[in-house]
Amino acid sequence: ILLMLHTGLRISDVALLRKDRVSNGKIFLYAKKNGIAVILPLKQVVLDALADLPDPAGAGVDCPFYFFNGKSVNSLMNRAQRLLHIVFRKSSVAGAHSHRFRHTLASNILAKGGTTDDVADVLGISPLIAQKHYIKMTVGRQERIERIMNSVNS
């Protein structure tokens, strides 16, 4: 959950995260869905949580993954989805789902003055997809709309 919250990674990218992809306070990977390279700094709380993780259940010695034991990707994804479903149900957050973390991060980037191109780079998506899904949330867009409307109504 911390990885998804602070990086906007998809659940599949988190579930299959290799330990060698976290180095010098950063995470580097190619997004599973589209193959786009993503390099992001990690907050210390995330690094500490990763360092404290036990090896995955059923993993061999020196398992290269944080959450995956190397045996069945389908089983891993099903378990991850079920676990998050339980967490979301217990949290009582209506409509909660793993992708919401991506939306939250995108909204936070835009609220801090980032662009849809910034969102695209962080989330490992194309600028067109970022614009399609997130343009309505940009501070600059809202300010522009207000300037236009104020000039029209003056």
Side-chain angles (χ1 to χ4, degrees):
I1 288 174
L2 285 173
L3 273 168
M4 289 187 292
L5 177 65
H6 293 289
T7 64
L9 292 175
R10 292 176 180 88
I11 188 171
S12 57
D13 291 320
V14 170
L16 295 170
L17 183 62
R18 296 179 60 90
K19 293 175 182 175
D20 62 358
R21 294 302 184 170
V22 176
S23 177
N24 299 319
K26 296 178 184 174
I27 186 170
F28 171 78
L29 56 83
Y30 292 95
K32 185 175 184 289
K33 185 173 179 181
N34 56 22
I36 293 176
V38 178
I39 302 172
L40 301 171
L42 293 174
K43 292 179 96 171
Q44 191 61 47
V45 66
V46 177
L47 293 167
D48 292 344
L50 289 172
D52 289 342
L53 282 173
D55 285 333
V61 179
D62 296 324
C63 179
F65 301 98
Y66 284 104
F67 304 101
F68 180 44
N69 62 15
K71 297 190 175 142
S72 171
V73 171
N74 290 337
S75 176
L76 170 72
M77 295 312 301
N78 289 336
R79 283 192 319 270
Q81 290 287 1
R82 279 195 313 270
L83 177 62
L84 282 177
H85 178 72
I86 291 167
V87 169
F88 295 147
R89 188 179 66 238
K90 288 184 181 269
S91 73
S92 300
V93 176
H97 52 85
S98 62
H99 230 62
R100 182 173 276 185
F101 295 111
R102 291 174 66 78
H103 293 289
T104 298
L105 183 59
S107 297
N108 290 340
I109 290 168
L110 295 169
K112 295 290 186 183
T115 66
T116 52
D117 284 346
D118 297 327
V119 169
D121 287 341
V122 169
L123 296 184
I125 58 178
S126 75
L128 287 175
I129 294 297
Q131 203 167 36
K132 175 182 174 186
H133 291 288
Y134 303 112
I135 189 70
K136 60 188 171 287
M137 295 179 241
T138 64
V139 173
R141 176 180 177 268
Q142 187 57 42
E143 290 171 351
R144 184 177 50 78
I145 289 169
E146 287 180 25
R147 274 195 316 274
I148 291 167
M149 293 307 296
N150 286 336
S151 75
V152 167
N153 292 324
S154 64

